[in-house]
Amino acid sequence: MLALADCNNFYASCERLFQPQLKDKPVVVLSNNDGCVIARSNEAKAVGIKMGEPAFKIKHLIEQNKVQVFSTNFALYGDLSKRVMSTLRSEVKRMEVYSIDEAFMSLEGEGGLEEKVLMLKQKVAQHVGIPISIGVAPTKALCKVANYIAKKHTKTGVFLLEDEKLIERALKWFPVEELWGVGRRYAKKLKSMGVYTAWALCQLDDNWIRRNLTVGGLKLVKELKGEQCFPLEETAPRKKNICTARSFGKEIATLQEMKEAVSNHANTCAKKLRKEKSACNKLTL
């Protein structure tokens, strides 16, 4: 069995960690130069603030609901991410850090899975102070489904998807657009064919899936059926692309200002490249 640990509203939770008075208050984090919303607390979601919305468009919501607004602090988020991952790693034999706020873990040979993951959740809360949700299932794709349920539909923040009948029930309810790797374009295409749930997707012909959703889509469906196609990657593969993208906080009026921004971001990309011990063969601006 595998488990997926996912930090809840990670950037917003990081900001709350140092300001406990913001518990149960709406909080949003804005992208560089305070452009767009990139993280929201549950309370901010409840008042209608959407992910990716430009800050100037939601000024009325922010003022009406006394939403606390923060600029990004990636140094802080990176440090807290390392602490979360280190805490999880100390309790499992094998682990893949999937993103800054997500990790897949192997629970092979572990007894009492629910007790184990509840202990992991409590340990991260105690040692780091960041709330996490954990989904347990036989494959990574099913772990994503289990984690979605754990986060949105349980009080404990933990959900085990191990029984075949339970998996079937979950997939018959699970919206196809929420599936791991199914983007907006694929979701629109599937819905136009009457495929609205993960279960309906699993009933499609494998050849059709390969032709229309590529090999990645076929692997996703096989994972939903319980066949492991995405192994645990304990060592992160080298990146094929490195990007530094920022929005400007004000209108840029001179070529010199633009040159300075491009130079600064190119330097950031170069640092990331050196850290990867990689070489660049194409540069796009």
Side-chain angles (χ1 to χ4, degrees), residues 99-127:
S99 68
I100 192 171
D101 62 346
E102 292 177 284
F104 287 104
M105 302 168 288
S106 171
L107 299 180
E108 188 179 349
E110 297 281 358
L113 295 180
E114 188 169 6
E115 290 80 7
K116 174 74 176 182
V117 292
L118 280 169
M119 180 274 291
L120 286 172
K121 178 179 168 64
Q122 289 161 4
K123 187 168 182 179
V124 170
Q126 182 182 354
H127 288 220

Side-chain angles (χ1 to χ4, degrees), residues 194-235:
V195 177
Y196 291 93
T197 66
W199 181 258
L201 175 61
C202 291
Q203 308 314 303
L204 296 177
D205 178 70
D206 283 358
N207 290 326
W208 186 94
I209 294 169
R210 182 191 286 270
R211 282 196 312 271
N212 291 276
L213 304 181
T214 73
V215 174
L218 183 58
K219 286 183 175 180
L220 168 64
V221 171
K222 287 185 174 181
E223 285 247 329
L224 292 173
K225 292 178 178 178
E227 180 184 338
Q228 277 200 5
C229 296
F230 302 118
L232 212 61
E233 295 180 358
E234 296 178 72
T235 304

Side-chain angles (χ1 to χ4, degrees), residues 22 25-27 47 59-69:
L22 296 181
K25 301 282 174 53
V27 172
V47 300
K59 272 188 177 178
H60 64 290
L61 287 175
I62 290 171
E63 291 170 1
Q64 285 172 14
N65 299 283
K66 297 181 180 178
V67 178
Q68 299 295 312
V69 180

Side-chain angles (χ1 to χ4, degrees), residues 73-80:
N73 185 345
F74 288 119
L76 171 67
Y77 309 152
D79 181 64
L80 288 171

